[in-house]
Amino acid sequence: MLILITYDVNTETAAGRKRLRQVAKQCVNYGRRVQNSVFECILDQAQCVALKATLTKIIDENVDSLRFYYLGNKYQAKVEHVGVDRGIAADQVLIL
């Protein structure tokens, strides 16, 4: 299923900047960045639970926030894009 993950991490302190880097790194491991703090991830249920738990452990719930949008398996009809696209789509193969 396609999950859109957005986050807002308070970066006023060095610890906040570290949390921001950690959250972004985890999201990059599971999907692709489509905007600065927005990632598209194609995950199964187990991956989703694991990523959510990891991200929840990283953030400070008193000053940071995470949002998960569950777009399901038929997400192609639910996503419209206008303008410059960042990289390849999350469901396409990347060969290095």
Side-chain angles (χ1 to χ4, degrees):
M1 77 178 109
L2 178 66
I3 299 173
L4 192 69
I5 300 172
T6 66
Y7 54 87
D8 186 20
V9 176
N10 184 315
T11 59
E12 293 176 356
T13 65
R17 290 186 291 276
K18 181 179 179 182
R19 289 193 312 274
L20 177 67
R21 288 189 302 274
Q22 290 174 332
V23 168
K25 182 178 179 181
Q26 287 301 315
C27 289
V28 165
N29 289 338
Y30 284 89
R32 77 172 182 139
R33 184 187 302 263
V34 292
Q35 292 186 356
N36 287 337
S37 297
V38 181
F39 282 80
E40 290 178 347
C41 304
I42 296 182
L43 307 172
D44 60 31
Q45 188 65 32
Q47 291 171 317
C48 181
V49 169
L51 179 57
K52 186 175 179 181
T54 300
L55 295 176
T56 301
K57 287 178 188 175
I58 294 170
I59 69 163
D60 178 347
E61 292 184 27
N62 295 313
V63 293
D64 304 333
S65 69
L66 290 168
R67 293 182 69 97
F68 298 86
Y69 297 89
Y70 303 95
L71 299 178
N73 291 322
K74 299 184 192 269
Y75 59 87
Q76 290 89 348
K78 298 176 185 174
V79 177
E80 181 178 349
H81 177 87
V82 177
V84 176
D85 197 9
R86 288 186 172 215
I88 64 167
D91 60 349
Q92 292 181 344
V93 177
L94 175 63
I95 300 173
L96 299 175

